[in-house]
Amino acid sequence: MQKEIKQIKKQKKRFEFLLNEIKEFSNIEYKYDIATFAANYATYRHTGYYYSTKLEKIFTNYAKTINIELEKDYKPNSFLHVLTTAAITGGHTRVVEKWIEQSPNNQIHSVVCIKQEDFELPQKLKDAIKSKNGELIIFETNNLKENAIKLRKIASKFEYVILHIHMDDPTALVAFGTEDFKRPVIFFNHADHMFWLGKSIIDKLASIRNFADNVTTPKRNIKNSFMLGVPIESKINKIIDKNEAKKKINISPNKKLILSIGGPHKYIPLGKKSLADKLLNIIKNNKDTQVIIIGPKGSDTPWQNIYKKSNKTIKAIGLVEYNKGYFDYINAADLVIDSWPMGGGTVMIDAISCNIPVLTLKNPLNQFDYLYKSQAYCNTDKELYEKTKLILNNDKFRNILLKELKQNLEQDHSVENWGKKLQKLIELTPKYHTIKDISNEIENTSIGEADICLNYSYNPNFINQRYDKQIIYKLLYFWAKYILRNEEKKYKYIKKYCKYI
């Protein structure tokens, strides 16, 4: 762990170097380009920071320089959901779809996508917006100021703004970083385990699990967040016969199918520990078992190796779209094992909703509360192996576990109970927007196991980094700054430095 901690401390110094140098630029485009890169760096090259007072101040100061005329009146019961990008895979966009679907029919729900670019828009999202008489708005430019102005203007027409943005997206900070904007802003904390921008503009923080409190208060210095959780499917019409589902995906009905689903980054080994090795141990002790991993590509080297080692029993097949085969695999499964070292979210809910039992292994970033307090939560590898064998061979244990999971899920995430929590969230949200001055706060940047896990999951060069080019461009930056006093060259060299850190 000392090697990993040392690397994070180096990343922390690089991040702080960028923060300190941003103020040296007078050219606005240069200044905010470097600030945006710094946010991206802290998100995916973890530094111990979970928010940054300096970055928040930089973007909210920018927000105050933009003065535009806003709508004085808003439509009652109207909600604007703000996404950076809507995706056809993953749980992030699924939450927005279900949130809109399950909201009262007297509400209007619209969606803005800030950087959709060429990414395909989910049909389910379009249908949900249409069902609530809303509008889908796609921004065409990547210009920060232009997008912030458009977002501020559009949002002023709505009673509430709900942010589902990417962690490093500064658009909302610039759009809502001034009290000229009056409408309250709810921040949906879907990435509670990571660095993100937005603390200064939050009127109410909605959490997805109690584990968030381990970061929200000690790491972000935010108190009184609201535990909303995530919604489950309102219409469970995805269940089909197991044998029929196995036939559709070409699995023998005599085979037991173990499924795991998640983004490729959720399976990146934590040091020398990986889920792939744990799955190898599982198939050794469970004959006639097939394992399919959805998310990572089978052509990726680690999964190619596991495919060979397992005699073609463990197979990664890449992405499967939510409404194009995803539920065939879930219904065919006898067991869904959570991704590791980073757990999944909506995947587990989808499986339980289709009457498929799940298991999750303890990880540094933890899991949703309904899983953590159930028998599905495994503290050790040994416990995971034992419960896997029980689920595959003991109908009594399987049924008891599934019943417990369904009860927990109903209590925390059902349409009715989640809807009540959503109503309470709205009641507790202030009626007018305010900006928080956090400039005097001191960030807690202590480093723990969760920080190391984040780097293994998101930083492709963690531990194995070269330093020669970054050192050269850092020196050239100072040369341009102090000797040439040339801002254009200074920007050029710091951009090169950013490329190699």
Side-chain angles (χ1 to χ4, degrees), residues 26 29 76 96 137 233 242 247 296 305 319 337 361 462 493:
S26 58
E29 288 188 12
V96 182
I137 304 160
E233 284 281 357
K242 187 177 298 297
K247 185 177 180 182
N305 293 339
L319 298 175
I337 292 180
L361 179 62
F462 187 48
Y493 289 130

Side-chain angles (χ1 to χ4, degrees), residues 20-245:
N20 291 329
E21 296 305 313
I22 289 168
K23 64 181 181 294
E24 297 292 326
F25 290 93
S26 58
N27 182 300
I28 287 178
E29 288 188 12
Y30 293 170
K31 181 187 288 284
Y32 295 107
D33 188 29
I34 300 301
T36 301
F37 175 83
N40 177 271
Y41 184 84
T43 302
Y44 298 107
R45 306 286 192 275
H46 195 63
T47 62
Y49 282 86
Y50 284 81
Y51 76 107
S52 167
T53 58
K54 288 184 178 179
L55 280 181
E56 296 273 331
K57 195 70 175 176
I58 286 166
F59 288 116
T60 54
N61 282 346
Y62 189 27
K64 292 175 177 62
T65 67
I66 301 171
N67 298 305
I68 58 172
E69 189 172 338
L70 300 174
E71 295 289 334
K72 294 180 180 178
D73 299 316
Y74 61 85
K75 294 178 182 177
N77 290 322
S78 61
F79 298 79
L80 181 68
H81 298 261
V82 183
L83 288 84
T84 302
T85 306
I88 57 175
T89 58
H92 174 57
T93 309
R94 307 292 79 76
V95 168
V96 182
E97 294 164 352
K98 294 169 189 174
W99 186 319
I100 296 172
E101 285 176 345
Q102 295 175 27
S103 294
N105 289 326
N106 66 337
Q107 293 181 356
I108 298 168
H109 287 260
S110 291
V111 170
V112 163
C113 295
I114 298 169
K115 295 179 183 177
Q116 192 62 28
E117 298 175 339
D118 294 328
F119 293 102
E120 182 182 347
L121 281 160
Q123 186 60 46
K124 188 175 172 68
L125 179 64
K126 295 178 186 177
D127 294 341
I129 295 166
K130 186 177 180 181
S131 72
K132 293 298 186 296
N133 299 309
E135 185 181 358
L136 177 59
I137 304 160
I138 309 296
F139 288 176
E140 301 295 338
T141 177
N142 280 329
N143 183 279
L144 174 60
K145 184 176 181 179
E146 288 180 28
N147 284 345
I149 289 171
K150 283 190 287 187
L151 182 58
R152 192 185 295 181
K153 281 183 176 179
I154 292 166
S156 66
K157 302 175 186 178
F158 289 80
E159 187 170 5
Y160 297 95
V161 178
I162 304 161
L163 301 182
H164 308 265
I165 53 176
H166 288 180
M167 299 73 72
D168 57 339
D169 185 351
T171 313
L173 263 177
V174 181
F176 309 129
T178 170
E179 290 184 358
D180 290 345
F181 182 81
K182 305 295 184 184
R183 307 313 319 137
V185 175
I186 297 168
F187 190 103
F188 185 69
N189 193 10
H190 66 93
D192 56 24
H193 57 294
M194 298 179 74
F195 172 95
W196 47 250
L197 296 173
K199 178 179 173 178
S200 302
I201 60 170
I202 295 172
D203 295 300
K204 198 65 184 176
L205 181 70
S207 296
I208 61 174
R209 54 184 181 162
N210 284 316
F211 172 76
D213 291 341
N214 295 340
V215 176
T216 299
T217 302
K219 290 286 191 175
R220 290 198 174 95
N221 196 27
I222 297 176
K223 300 177 179 65
N224 301 318
S225 65
F226 183 85
M227 229 307 289
L228 177 64
V230 299
I232 62 173
E233 284 281 357
S234 55
K235 300 172 184 175
I236 308 299
N237 57 359
K238 309 289 186 181
I239 302 174
I240 60 174
D241 177 74
K242 187 177 298 297
N243 288 335
E244 181 186 339

